[in-house]
Amino acid sequence: MDTFITNDFMLHSSTAKSLYHDYVEGLPIIDYHSHLSPRDIAENRQYRNLYEIWMEEDHYKWRAMRANGIDEKYILGEGQDFEKFSAFARTVPQTLRNPLYHWTHLELKRFFGIEELLSEDTAQDIWDRANHRISSESMRAQGLLKQCNVEVVCTTDDPADPLEYHGEYAGTKVLPTFRPDNAMTVGGGKAFTDYLEVLESASGVNCQSFDSLLEALKKRHDFFHTKGCRLSDQGMKFCPLGPASHQKASEAFQRALTGQEVTAELTQAYQFTLMLELGRWDAEKNWTKQLHLGVIRNNNSRLFAKLGKDAGFDSISDAPQADRLCGYLDALDTTNQLPRTVVYNLNPADNYLIATMLGNFQDGSIPGKMQFGSGWWFLDQKEGMEWQMNALSSLGLLSRFVGMLTDSRSLLSMPRHEYFRRILCNLVGQDAEKGELPRDLDMLGGLVQDVSYRNASKFFGF
């Protein structure tokens, strides 16, 4: 059976088809949040086979394979590359109505020209054909970015990272993002003190007090700016509770440094105080702060002990968000030091909460200053994207939305921008067909162009 990924895939009206094909199909990509390897891009990595380029770090595939009864040997175990690919191929027919089914076949078609459906029966043929294509220059890391018309990629980088691989390659700017999550883990025992040594080495500052920690982080923040960084990012279950207390933050730091227990109260004070400083630095440099909220990580303790973090055992949290997020944003806004901000929400039950909270801090200084971020992680699929855009449309301005990102570790994930754009055009086109929006193609086309590309280009100041 040939592919169902037709020219009008996911476009269910004539208006949607016009909006996509005439207005957004050829637009460049700004992928402003990813976990791509800057080294792979800088060194123009040549991938050995389809497993390496496609499955090496894809927790979506790993979760589906486990749900399909695939042994861990063929996921993160010692299985050979083709064995692991074959196990995924056996899983794909079971993913009907899962976004993986769409992504898999969209990526096979866009990068390899393969239109057959992936299954156990087609695995060997698709493996052979894809691997033949992978050997070409266009399938090296920089060639993939060029194929996808990627203008900017922002990676995710610890403050101690040297950033030696960031730059411009084959027309794509590869820029860092300041992600200080490791500095937040004051109650993390030896992992925290080990991290301080890494930060000391990168900054040249001896981190023996909370003040010296701030000095080290500020030096790295300044350095990131010289390397083109214009975004920061923090991932957490929820924002810490205030108020800020430099005294308690210092006490928490000293207790961590000397191996003593750090209470929950001291941890909260430390994290809130540190986050305020980070937010002020972002505002000072006109950066955009990203907050990823609502995840519980490493839920399966047995497999975490065996496989480590980022192995596909994270999920949605139902922790309260409103008061904590409000307290943080308000503390920065009170001193007029609230930077432009993107908040990504992982729990769809909180969509209206997040959208209305951000509306409280729009101040007229920048169009769309406070952004409700695109459907993230478990929500970066059709239903989750539509939920996010519907909430934003109802409670804010869809027209100012900065659109999609991949949040991915794989260069083959770039067609998720196409996926998003098709969903956006179908959503707007559907409203126009029902008479709920004017059937003015230039007006609607301007909207989908802005959301797909132009808003991000203006907003982030790359």
Side-chain angles (χ1 to χ4, degrees), residues 207-272:
C207 296
Q208 294 299 305
S209 67
F210 182 62
D211 285 332
S212 59
L213 171 70
L214 293 179
E215 181 186 355
L217 289 172
K218 182 63 165 60
K219 284 187 69 173
R220 300 304 296 170
H221 197 275
D222 293 343
F223 172 69
F224 270 59
H225 192 78
T226 69
K227 301 293 284 187
C229 179
R230 296 297 179 267
L231 295 97
S232 68
D233 183 32
Q234 290 178 261
M236 60 197 83
K237 185 186 294 186
F238 41 65
C239 288
L241 283 169
S245 169
H246 193 280
Q247 179 182 351
K248 288 184 178 179
S250 296
E251 182 182 350
F253 183 91
Q254 290 301 323
R255 291 184 70 84
L257 196 65
T258 55
Q260 300 177 66
E261 179 187 0
V262 183
T263 66
E265 178 189 4
L266 289 175
T267 297
Q268 290 286 316
Y270 169 92
Q271 292 178 338
F272 191 84

Side-chain angles (χ1 to χ4, degrees), residues 12 19 92 111 115 144 175 214 298 353 369 403:
H12 302 307
L19 290 175
V92 168
F111 291 108
E115 298 196 342
L144 292 169
L175 303 176
L214 293 179
N298 307 313
L353 181 162
K369 176 181 177 179

Side-chain angles (χ1 to χ4, degrees), residues 29-48:
I29 287 173
I30 294 178
D31 199 41
Y32 57 89
H33 175 72
S34 81
H35 296 272
L36 295 174
S37 164
R39 179 175 181 172
D40 284 355
I41 298 170
E43 295 181 349
N44 202 18
R45 180 178 176 183
Q46 177 75 67
Y47 299 89
R48 294 186 301 112

Side-chain angles (χ1 to χ4, degrees), residues 67-141:
N68 197 41
I70 301 296
D71 189 275
E72 196 64 39
K73 174 182 178 180
Y74 304 108
I75 303 173
L76 293 178
E78 67 277 12
Q80 298 300 305
D81 288 357
F82 179 70
E83 292 178 316
K84 292 179 177 180
F85 172 75
S86 296
F88 176 61
R90 291 198 301 275
T91 299
V92 168
Q94 308 303 321
T95 64
L96 291 169
R97 301 202 80 243
N98 184 295
L100 263 177
Y101 199 79
H102 286 170
W103 298 340
T104 295
H105 294 100
L106 185 62
E107 290 162 19
L108 284 174
K109 183 169 183 176
R110 292 292 176 259
F111 291 108
F112 304 103
I114 293 173
E115 298 196 342
E116 287 78 11
L117 300 181
L118 181 58
S119 68
E120 186 173 15
D121 292 338
T122 61
Q124 184 69 61
D125 179 59
I126 288 175
W127 174 263
D128 292 340
R129 291 167 63 189
N131 286 344
H132 177 73
R133 184 74 175 269
I134 285 170
S135 65
S136 69
E137 188 70 20
S138 65
M139 295 300 292
R140 296 174 76 102

